[in-house]
Amino acid sequence: TRLILHKYLNAIGFHDIATEREWYQILLESEKKFSGYDRIALDEHTDLCELRRAYGNGIGISSCGFIDENDEEFRRECYFPYFSGSGVSSYADIAVEQRASSPTYVGVCEDVKLGCSIIFHIQNSMEYIKEAALGGLNKSSISVTFSGLALSGKILLPVTKDAGAADKRAEDLRNRMMLMSAAKEGNPDAIESLTLDDIDTYAAVSKRIRGEDIYSIVDTHFMPSGLECDQYAILGEILNIDTIENLLTGKELYVLTVETNELQFDVCVPVEKVIGEPAVGRRLKAQIWLQGHINF
């Protein structure tokens, strides 16, 4: 069977592996010398299994498949690169569904700070299966730690803000969150108010765009990109900068903590694929594959 290469492997430092044969050998090695392991019995004869191999601080490859009790041989169904983020990104309610073509899962949460559904690839799907069987999704303390994998990125200068802009922005966010919560419950006044706010915003942007650059008007953004439901185009303010190394390839990677539309998470991107010099306060523009770790 021909091995389909996962393009976001490049985001964790494998972008110079040229041939399919090299990829195949790396994947086999990651499954033979795994550093993490989970196994769940599906029936009397078959177990669902996940093998993880770390290749640096928070990065690695995860292989999902099945093991038959007769021969104990691992049969890979899919694999994906992972990057573990830090902190807590959202406390919103989460819905989970299994992908149609693989034993992996996607999560959906509606964070009122964004006002839209966030769809993400679940990193700890085996833990979710165990918790779901025990009713773990009904816990009030569930949160999500988001992380993004980017193949490349651009660094933009920050937007100049006056002294009172941060306070006004925080107040506007609180008001919008209250309106969003009321609108979800069917309040017609809240729905009308949000609609009018969107119309006013559109009119103001349309007027300013005639004489200004779009990135001087739009401070940050977080919006779906392409046909994949868990990929997003982001523009976020850089809050922290760190670097890690892929221990196999020696490639250096940026770990950038960004804030976009009041949502905070870490993004992993190869150093040599970033245009510009990252600095706290500057902005990262990139397309990411959004992953999430559900904290039960």
Side-chain angles (χ1 to χ4, degrees):
T1 303
R2 190 173 187 271
L3 180 66
I4 299 176
L5 306 183
H6 199 298
K7 72 175 183 178
Y8 279 97
L9 282 165
N10 296 347
I12 62 170
F14 290 104
H15 45 282
D16 279 353
I17 306 300
T19 67
E20 183 179 313
R21 184 178 181 83
E22 287 180 274
W23 279 120
Y24 187 68
Q25 291 302 320
I26 290 173
L27 190 56
L28 285 181
E29 187 76 7
S30 73
E31 293 168 355
K32 290 178 181 177
K33 299 181 179 180
F34 54 86
S35 53
Y37 173 85
D38 272 313
R39 185 168 176 173
I40 296 175
L42 296 180
D43 54 43
E44 294 181 0
H45 306 290
T46 308
D47 291 353
L48 178 64
C49 185
E50 181 179 5
L51 307 176
R52 294 179 299 277
R53 171 69 184 272
Y55 285 99
N57 185 17
I59 60 171
I61 298 174
S62 179
S63 297
C64 299
F66 301 98
I67 294 179
D68 191 295
E69 67 172 12
N70 295 326
D71 53 22
E72 286 292 312
E73 182 180 352
F74 176 72
R75 303 192 310 276
R76 182 194 323 112
E77 289 291 315
C78 65
Y79 73 95
F80 62 88
Y82 68 83
F83 163 57
S84 301
S86 60
V88 174
S89 305
S90 176
Y91 287 97
D93 293 338
I94 303 166
V96 177
E97 286 193 7
Q98 184 177 354
R99 293 184 186 271
S101 57
S102 72
T104 58
Y105 290 77
V106 292
V108 182
C109 70
E110 291 192 20
D111 196 303
V112 291
K113 295 192 293 292
L114 282 178
C116 65
S117 298
I118 305 173
I119 302 175
F120 59 96
H121 171 87
I122 294 178
Q123 294 176 335
N124 56 329
S125 57
M126 301 289 279
E127 184 182 5
Y128 158 74
I129 295 172
K130 296 175 184 177
E131 288 287 340
L134 301 172
L137 284 180
N138 296 323
K139 296 178 181 178
S140 59
S141 59
I142 287 181
S143 63
V144 184
T145 299
F146 290 131
S147 57
L149 288 174
L151 302 177
S152 61
K154 294 181 180 179
I155 305 301
L156 305 183
L157 293 175
V159 173
T160 303
K161 303 172 186 176
D162 58 57
D167 293 336
K168 185 178 185 305
R169 182 175 178 180
E171 182 180 354
D172 290 343
L173 175 64
R174 284 194 297 270
N175 293 335
R176 183 172 178 83
M177 287 173 63
M178 292 174 63
L179 287 172
M180 289 294 298
S181 297
K184 287 176 67 175
E185 296 174 0
N187 188 313
D189 293 335
I191 295 172
E192 182 181 0
S193 180
L194 286 170
T195 302
L196 293 174
D197 286 346
D198 288 343
I199 293 173
D200 291 343
T201 301
Y202 177 78
V205 170
S206 299
K207 183 178 180 180
R208 290 182 59 184
I209 198 67
R210 298 170 187 168
E212 299 180 50
D213 181 81
I214 184 64
Y215 294 117
S216 67
I217 302 172
V218 179
D219 188 10
T220 66
H221 66 67
F222 182 93
M223 55 188 181
S225 177
L227 298 177
E228 295 287 341
C229 60
D230 50 9
Q231 293 185 18
Y232 296 86
I234 66 163
L235 176 63
E237 180 182 351
I238 299 173
L239 304 180
N240 187 60
I241 304 169
D242 200 359
T243 55
I244 58 176
E245 181 185 346
N246 184 310
L247 300 178
L248 180 65
T249 64
K251 296 296 182 181
E252 194 174 14
L253 310 168
Y254 280 128
V255 174
L256 304 175
T257 303
V258 300
E259 181 179 66
T260 168
N261 288 35
E262 310 301 330
L263 194 68
Q264 289 187 21
F265 55 90
D266 296 336
V267 176
C268 180
V269 57
V271 168
E272 61 190 71
K273 299 296 183 179
V274 175
I275 299 174
E277 185 68 28
V280 173
R282 294 179 181 176
R283 295 178 292 170
L284 171 69
K285 180 178 181 290
Q287 180 169 320
I288 65 167
W289 179 35
L290 188 66
Q291 301 186 348
H293 185 282
I294 302 177
N295 308 307
F296 292 99

